[in-house]
Amino acid sequence: SHAWVAFETPWGETLISRVTGALLPLDDVRDTLLALASSLVLIHDAGLVAEPSLENIWFGRKEGGLPVVTILLPGLIPLLRDARSKDTRAGPAEPLFSITGLAPEVILGQPEGPPADVWAFALLAFELFTGASYWESVRDARPVFEFATEMLTKPWPAASARAAGTPRPDALPAGFDPWFARCVQREPEKRPTMREAESSLRALFGDAPAHVIATPSPEVILGNPKGSFYDRGLNDLSVP
């Protein structure tokens, strides 16, 4: 049997496409993060997790400059990997997701919940602002076990200190350090909720107004992955 997937065509490009070889303009960084944060609040309210990363988020603008963020939720990944492996027209394989945004509890095989998205969101914010990963082991392309050691056991400097060696070292807004530190607590219960993280981040931007966003949840027409978010019957999540 075949699995057919139908979902709204995402606006714009994936973030990984936007930032490869270039820095995302700071206005786009702000709009991406605020739209994504609002989207994650909705997703968490629905009892789901999104695993946000540069690879599974699209950012674009509709007429009038309205920012739109689209998130590919994790339930589609096995289907896309299978389709890509069988597509003889496909070019060189590209990773769909990176492990460098995964929270410690995920790396350690513990249950994953909304706090893991808060962790990933904070790391994504750092990377969009500065143009580089927070992790030194990732920047230096060291082996995976060195990344795991850095993430799980080593003390971390403040985000602003780690930004010093990045392509855009002065881009972090005032107050980013304490916000980031709260979001990347190793213990998931110590992290803020996504709603709290969004509110605090919006304050860093001067209480920027909420943006209209769209985050269509793909609907599997045939071959629903058992236990995936599709079984929840969600077809669309949006902020009017």
Side-chain angles (χ1 to χ4, degrees):
S1 63
H2 299 280
W4 295 88
V5 181
F7 60 100
E8 180 180 344
T9 301
W11 287 83
E13 302 173 273
T14 59
L15 290 182
I16 192 66
S17 298
R18 293 287 304 275
V19 303
T20 298
L23 293 171
L24 196 65
L26 288 177
D27 283 348
D28 283 354
V29 172
R30 178 200 63 196
D31 290 345
T32 298
L33 292 176
L34 292 177
L36 177 58
S38 298
S39 177
L40 290 172
V41 169
L42 291 174
I43 290 170
H44 292 175
D45 285 348
L48 309 173
V49 293
E51 298 180 9
S53 72
L54 291 174
E55 293 91 347
N56 72 331
I57 298 168
W58 281 258
F59 176 80
R61 294 184 184 275
K62 293 188 177 182
E63 293 182 7
L66 182 70
V68 179
V69 162
T70 304
I71 306 175
L72 180 66
L73 295 180
L76 268 184
I77 302 310
L79 295 176
L80 289 182
R81 283 185 176 139
D82 182 62
R84 178 175 291 176
S85 68
K86 296 177 180 177
D87 187 354
T88 57
R89 300 167 299 172
E94 298 177 0
L96 282 171
F97 287 90
S98 167
I99 68 166
T100 58
L102 297 181
E105 63 270 21
V106 180
I107 295 290
L108 295 173
Q110 298 168 0
E112 178 181 10
D117 282 354
V118 175
W119 168 285
F121 178 76
L123 290 170
L124 181 64
F126 179 92
E127 188 159 354
L128 291 180
F129 274 121
T130 66
S133 171
Y134 177 81
W135 307 115
E136 289 184 331
S137 54
V138 174
R139 296 187 204 177
D140 298 339
R142 300 177 199 163
V144 172
F145 75 86
E146 291 195 30
F147 157 69
T149 300
E150 180 184 12
M151 189 261 282
L152 293 173
T153 65
K154 291 186 177 181
W156 309 325
S160 57
R162 189 58 69 84
T166 67
R168 196 157 51 188
D170 301 319
L172 298 178
F176 187 86
D177 278 353
W179 177 86
F180 182 83
R182 287 188 64 210
C183 292
V184 294
Q185 292 286 328
R186 284 192 174 106
E187 300 83 1
E189 65 275 7
K190 293 183 179 180
R191 297 173 209 149
T193 65
M194 195 62 236
R195 192 177 300 277
E196 292 167 341
E198 179 207 19
S199 177
S200 299
L201 182 66
R202 198 172 294 280
L204 298 186
F205 289 125
D207 293 319
H211 296 292
V212 178
I213 63 172
T215 58
S217 295
E219 178 182 0
V220 171
I221 307 303
L222 178 65
N224 284 6
K226 183 175 177 58
S228 76
F229 72 96
Y230 304 113
D231 298 332
R232 303 293 298 274
L234 296 174
N235 297 320
D236 184 76
L237 298 169
S238 61
V239 175

